[in-house]
Amino acid sequence: MLTVTDRDLLTIDPSTFIGAAAGAGTVLLSADDASVTGTELESAGSDFAARGVEAGLVAVINDAIVVEIVSRTGATTLEVSLPRANADDDQIPPGDVGDAAMKIITFARVIDLQRSQLLRSLGVDETAVVDAAPLAQLIALRAIAHILSHAAAAAPEDASLQARSVTAA
């Protein structure tokens, strides 16, 4: 199975999840009571299980700290890490934070669109893919380019975003 997650986008370009680019995503959950201690993120007012929050998704804390969700450890708790090169690497604590704003944003729609477009354009049946890693990386890159081009179109005055969207394409 050719699986690409938000974590894959995060490892390539963490800034995709903040600012104007994040507007292309879907906010699964938003809370104002998040706290991080070590690698545990807690939000007493959130029900992560009910919202489908799981490993591979990404959380943004105070619109500045972007972390990968390693696992859901309870209805109101998550295990998180700063972006790691490999999912098997040791977790990297993002630093302790209290009483923080938090969003869980997903680009699953964009990832699915890019996966289906790429496979169709290559004439490849997903079940015939032997080594999925190179295709997964290409899908992630195409998703980021798509996200940045839409964000740049929505914010023509943002020179940095304009430059990133051209570079990503």
Side-chain angles (χ1 to χ4, degrees):
M1 178 79 178
L2 186 55
T3 304
V4 178
T5 66
D6 292 299
R7 182 200 178 278
D8 297 314
L9 276 58
L10 174 67
T11 60
I12 296 169
D13 186 359
S15 67
T16 302
F17 292 86
I18 55 177
T26 301
V27 177
L28 294 179
L29 185 139
S30 184
D32 290 326
D33 67 343
S35 63
V36 178
T37 305
T39 58
E40 181 182 80
L41 184 150
E42 181 177 10
S43 174
S46 299
D47 186 343
F48 297 124
R51 298 306 280 266
V53 177
E54 58 189 20
L57 290 172
V58 171
V60 180
I61 303 162
N62 287 335
D63 290 323
I65 304 167
V66 185
V67 295
E68 63 178 277
I69 297 172
V70 177
S71 66
R72 183 180 65 229
T73 54
T76 62
T77 56
L78 302 170
E79 198 68 26
V80 299
S81 175
L82 287 174
R84 303 169 292 164
N86 297 299
D88 296 333
D89 290 350
D90 291 339
Q91 294 172 21
I92 305 167
D96 294 352
V97 178
D99 198 29
M102 183 244 342
K103 291 180 189 171
I104 297 177
I105 300 169
T106 183
F107 292 106
R109 292 177 299 108
V110 177
I111 293 168
D112 288 344
L113 172 68
Q114 294 305 317
R115 181 179 62 240
S116 65
Q117 285 181 349
L118 179 65
L119 291 173
R120 271 196 317 272
S121 68
L122 294 174
V124 174
D125 179 350
E126 187 172 349
T127 60
V129 175
V130 177
D131 183 5
L135 279 180
Q137 178 134 17
L138 184 54
I139 291 165
L141 289 167
R142 286 175 55 124
I144 290 169
H146 182 91
I147 292 161
L148 292 176
S149 70
H150 280 273
E157 72 288 346
D158 187 334
S160 173
L161 188 54
Q162 297 298 320
R164 287 175 49 221
S165 72
V166 170
T167 303

